[in-house]
Amino acid sequence: QQPVQSPQAVILREGEDAVINCSSSKALYSVHWYRQKHGEAPIFLMILLKGGEQKGHDKISASFNEKKQQSSLYLTASQLSYSGTYFCGSILSGSARQLTFGSGTQLTVLP
Amino acid sequence: DSGVTQTPKHLITATGQRVTLRCSPRSGDLSVYWYQQSLDQGLQFLIQYYNGEERAKGNILERFSAQQFPDLHSELNLSSLELGDSALYFCASSVASAGVTEAFFGQGTRLTVV
């Protein structure tokens, strides 16, 4: 079951903040966040395993609401290098542990 | 460099042909995943292997097959190729079966079917 990401695209200025959401209709075991630059391999950002857990990576952090089966990725004070497509990947509870990705959110940071 | 090696990087072939894509996971990683990414689209999960055994299957066509060998490298075989099979094919590897550890992606094989 593919997670649902929103928004599909975001355009912001350098220094602005952004939030990308990821939700599932089924119980999640874990949520993974990746960033992909055009034509390149996706790069791992973070994994969230427990409800309410929040992790950070430089000025990028994420939360996981296990009760709502939702995760959000927070980009603070965006830098030009943050531009790319962000994918959330989900692994469902009780599943064969396949890592299924959402359709992605295209983030563009302008100077 | 993620440590995951995919070959070839580019492949151009005709419709109806068969090709094999190869993936060498990071040293120590037992799990291999295959994904298909069509132009500007998302990552479609195809199949996952763990230590030589198939663990999960996604929307993989019957014309496609894969296997993981004892040395843990994996191959994705695509046969009776169609124009719509043109895409970037990624392989990823992780230490664990799935869920608790990050997956590292290779640089992908760009397949063009003409």
Side-chain angles (χ1 to χ4, degrees):
Chain A
Q1 187 91 18
Q2 186 177 22
V4 177
Q5 280 186 243
S6 63
Q8 284 188 318
V10 180
I11 300 176
L12 43 141
R13 296 280 180 188
E14 203 173 3
E16 292 181 340
D17 301 339
V19 180
I20 300 172
N21 300 303
C22 176
S23 65
S24 172
S25 59
K26 297 190 176 183
L28 293 169
Y29 177 76
S30 64
V31 176
H32 302 223
W33 285 98
Y34 286 78
R35 177 172 62 210
Q36 184 182 31
K37 304 276 187 177
H38 185 67
E40 298 181 5
I43 300 298
F44 171 80
L45 294 175
M46 63 192 76
I47 291 177
L48 300 107
L49 294 174
K50 295 182 180 180
E53 185 179 15
Q54 189 152 355
K55 285 196 171 184
H57 179 77
D58 193 10
K59 292 183 179 178
I60 300 175
S61 62
S63 63
F64 178 19
N65 187 324
E66 190 177 1
K67 287 184 180 179
K68 292 186 177 181
Q69 308 308 324
Q70 292 177 349
S71 178
S72 294
L73 186 71
Y74 306 94
L75 299 102
T76 305
S78 296
Q79 306 169 14
L80 295 177
S81 61
Y82 286 3
S83 292
T85 301
Y86 288 78
F87 290 100
C88 84
S90 67
I91 292 181
L92 302 180
S93 296
S95 75
R97 300 284 192 251
Q98 64 184 67
L99 179 57
T100 305
F101 288 93
S103 56
T105 295
Q106 189 170 351
L107 183 81
T108 303
V109 181
L110 302 174
Chain B
D1 183 5
S2 66
V4 179
T5 303
Q6 288 188 248
T7 56
K9 285 188 171 54
H10 300 277
L11 197 50
I12 301 175
T13 190
T15 54
Q17 295 297 305
R18 173 189 169 93
V19 296
T20 298
L21 312 184
R22 182 187 169 100
C23 170
S24 294
R26 289 190 323 152
S27 177
D29 284 0
L30 299 178
S31 194
V32 170
Y33 311 78
W34 285 98
Y35 292 88
Q36 179 192 54
Q37 187 173 42
S38 300
L39 188 63
D40 295 329
Q41 297 296 310
L43 296 157
Q44 297 299 316
F45 172 73
L46 295 178
I47 199 164
Q48 180 205 353
Y49 282 86
Y50 178 75
N51 203 20
E53 294 187 3
E54 181 184 305
R55 274 300 174 93
K57 214 168 189 177
N59 297 323
I60 187 168
L61 300 172
E62 286 191 12
R63 300 184 285 109
F64 295 2
S65 64
Q67 55 183 326
Q68 186 179 29
F69 294 86
D71 67 352
L72 300 178
H73 91 272
S74 178
E75 292 181 355
L76 179 66
N77 299 297
L78 315 176
S79 62
S80 301
L81 285 167
E82 302 174 358
L83 295 178
D85 297 328
S86 295
L88 195 51
Y89 290 84
F90 284 108
C91 159
S93 74
S94 66
V95 171
S97 174
V100 298
T101 57
E102 63 199 271
F104 293 87
F105 281 78
Q107 290 302 306
T109 293
R110 184 170 295 282
L111 174 67
T112 302
V113 183
V114 297

